[in-house]
Amino acid sequence: NISTEKSLLCSYTEEELFTVFDTHIFKGKILSLDNIEMNFNGEKLYRAIAQIKIEKVYRGSCDKGDTVSVMLPCPITEGVWVEDTDTVCAMKEGMTGIFMPIFYTEENSFLEYNNARLVQKDIADYGFPDGMRYAFLETEDGLIFDRYSYETISDAKTLDEVEEYIQTMLEKLSE
């Protein structure tokens, strides 16, 4: 289970954003976004599943050309806003981004709520630790990501700049 302590929007350093969770990192195009409703013994939780076609892999066991499913921490709906999901809420079909989700396993993907349990791996390959810091999106209005968490690239305007930053960070962390 992803501990509540880790999933809170606390102040991780930029290095910790790459190391606290075992994230895969890839560039891809959002093919579809589907809202889902999960029923936990009468209590409903709402999320979305993004289908993303991978164009480039920076870290992880996925491959270019794969289409993967990623659980989003909120539904994607006009007029619905969920706290701490600003980046994910900007997602739209056809959008390209760089994504840093957790690869779900039996051990790390269970969600318990209202005395019911769901193994999220059964419905998605990946999931985001939160809705702010693990996606970089290319939009019509420019690049969207949590600039506060990534001060080194807070002025970035393109995904190419983000890609260069990620590659540099991964090299630094592997030393």
Side-chain angles (χ1 to χ4, degrees):
N1 190 9
I2 298 170
S3 77
T4 305
E5 186 177 301
K6 280 187 178 178
S7 64
L8 295 174
L9 277 179
C10 55
S11 297
Y12 290 131
T13 65
E14 290 181 43
E15 290 81 9
E16 287 172 331
L17 289 169
F18 285 84
T19 59
V20 168
F21 298 103
D22 182 19
T23 59
H24 288 191
I25 305 173
F26 50 83
K27 182 178 186 178
K29 184 174 194 169
I30 301 169
L31 300 179
S32 65
L33 293 162
D34 295 300
N35 291 324
I36 61 170
E37 176 184 286
M38 299 180 289
N39 189 328
F40 290 82
N41 293 325
E43 292 286 329
K44 295 178 180 171
L45 294 180
Y46 300 91
R47 302 283 189 270
I49 305 282
Q51 297 292 330
I52 300 172
K53 184 170 180 85
I54 297 175
E55 297 172 0
K56 186 169 189 176
V57 178
Y58 308 101
R59 178 170 72 187
S61 58
C62 46
D63 292 309
K64 179 180 178 179
D66 287 353
T67 298
V68 297
S69 56
V70 181
M71 174 89 67
L72 308 182
C74 59
I76 304 298
T77 307
E78 290 289 324
V80 173
W81 180 82
V82 179
E83 187 173 10
D84 297 331
T85 60
D86 295 10
T87 304
V88 168
C89 283
M91 288 183 171
K92 292 186 177 24
E93 290 179 8
M95 191 176 278
T96 298
I98 294 177
F99 307 96
M100 298 175 53
I102 296 169
F103 179 69
Y104 280 156
T105 65
E106 294 290 328
E107 296 76 35
N108 74 1
S109 74
F110 67 87
L111 177 62
E112 291 181 320
Y113 186 71
N114 200 31
N115 296 317
R117 180 180 175 130
L118 170 70
V119 178
Q120 295 175 101
K121 178 185 183 309
D122 291 344
I123 56 176
D125 304 312
Y126 294 89
F128 287 118
D130 66 49
M132 295 286 295
R133 301 175 293 186
Y134 296 91
F136 303 83
L137 305 171
E138 199 170 60
T139 74
E140 292 175 1
D141 299 323
L143 195 61
I144 293 178
F145 67 99
D146 186 15
R147 293 173 188 276
Y148 174 81
S149 294
Y150 296 95
E151 289 181 10
T152 301
I153 57 166
S154 63
D155 294 334
K157 305 248 185 299
T158 68
L159 274 183
D160 289 341
E161 292 172 86
V162 173
E163 179 177 349
E164 185 178 309
Y165 163 78
I166 287 172
Q167 290 172 325
T168 299
M169 185 63 78
L170 292 175
E171 286 170 18
K172 178 180 171 185
L173 293 172
S174 69
E175 292 174 355

